[in-house]
Amino acid sequence: MEGFDAIYYEEEEEIPDGSGDHANITLLPDPVIIRGAGNMTVFGLSNRFSTEFPSGLVSRVAPEEFTETVLRINTVLKKTLPVNVKWLFCGCLCCCCTFGCSLWPVICLSKRTQHSLNKLLEWENSYLYHKLGLHWRLSKQNCDSSSMMEYVILIEFLPKIPIHRPD
């Protein structure tokens, strides 16, 4: 069991760039995309995300850590989106009388929900995921089935920074 918890450093590949010099190029995998899995969407933000562990994160993060993070995200959504839906319903009922101004509270609440999720992901990144070479963020992308936009969780891989050890 010697070296079980030892940290091993990977060497970067040197690829010639055609000019005679060698360039250090680090190839990163494509980001992992986690789409909304809920039955309700308000302004592109689903009411929950799936806790199913994606295969692209195998050997990068523990399934339990991934599940806990997604559950924290779902908790924020569970607290905020029902209020947003109520305001959206009221705003739609009064939309004709207020010339659309009754939808402003829903827009502001939706922005606040996005801000809360971004703050949560910032905290998760700084305390755990940046150390593992991952970066989680909320991103707006096109839906697969239509031209509408939706918010997804994008898990990007950070490039490894070479550590120069004094000899």
Side-chain angles (χ1 to χ4, degrees):
M1 289 307 263
E2 188 174 316
F4 174 73
D5 57 349
I7 298 174
Y8 298 99
Y9 298 97
E10 292 182 11
E11 297 295 323
E12 291 184 1
E13 244 181 83
E14 290 191 17
I15 300 174
D17 62 354
S19 64
D21 296 331
H22 292 288
N24 288 335
I25 298 176
T26 304
L27 301 176
L28 297 175
D30 290 334
V32 175
I33 298 172
I34 302 172
R35 298 199 180 280
N39 56 359
M40 180 176 49
T41 303
V42 177
F43 291 118
L45 193 58
S46 181
N47 66 329
R48 72 178 188 85
F49 288 94
S50 174
T51 56
E52 183 179 328
F53 188 71
S55 60
L57 295 178
V58 171
S59 78
R60 298 207 181 253
V61 65
E64 297 83 17
E65 291 170 341
F66 171 83
T67 303
E68 284 298 316
T69 300
V70 175
L71 287 175
R72 283 187 197 100
I73 292 168
N74 287 341
T75 301
V76 169
L77 292 172
K78 186 177 180 181
K79 288 178 184 176
T80 58
L81 279 183
V83 175
N84 293 8
V85 170
K86 290 175 189 172
W87 276 100
L88 180 62
F89 182 70
C90 292
C92 288
L93 286 177
C94 302
C95 189
C96 295
C97 301
T98 62
F99 302 109
C101 292
S102 58
L103 293 175
W104 276 107
V106 184
I107 294 169
C108 292
L109 287 171
S110 180
K111 293 285 185 192
R112 188 171 79 177
T113 302
Q114 294 169 26
H115 183 71
S116 297
L117 289 175
N118 285 328
K119 283 293 195 186
L120 172 68
L121 292 176
E122 272 181 39
W123 187 88
E124 292 281 340
N125 283 330
S126 65
Y127 285 99
L128 175 64
Y129 291 108
H130 282 174
K131 296 172 187 170
L132 299 174
L134 300 171
H135 179 78
W136 290 49
R137 67 183 177 98
L138 194 63
S139 176
K140 191 184 281 190
Q141 292 188 348
N142 285 330
C143 292
D144 291 336
S145 58
S146 68
S147 62
M148 294 175 55
M149 300 293 280
E150 70 174 334
Y151 283 95
V152 297
I153 298 173
L154 201 62
I155 304 173
E156 299 168 321
F157 298 96
L158 299 175
K160 293 183 181 177
I161 300 170
I163 299 174
H164 299 287
R165 288 175 255 150
D167 292 329

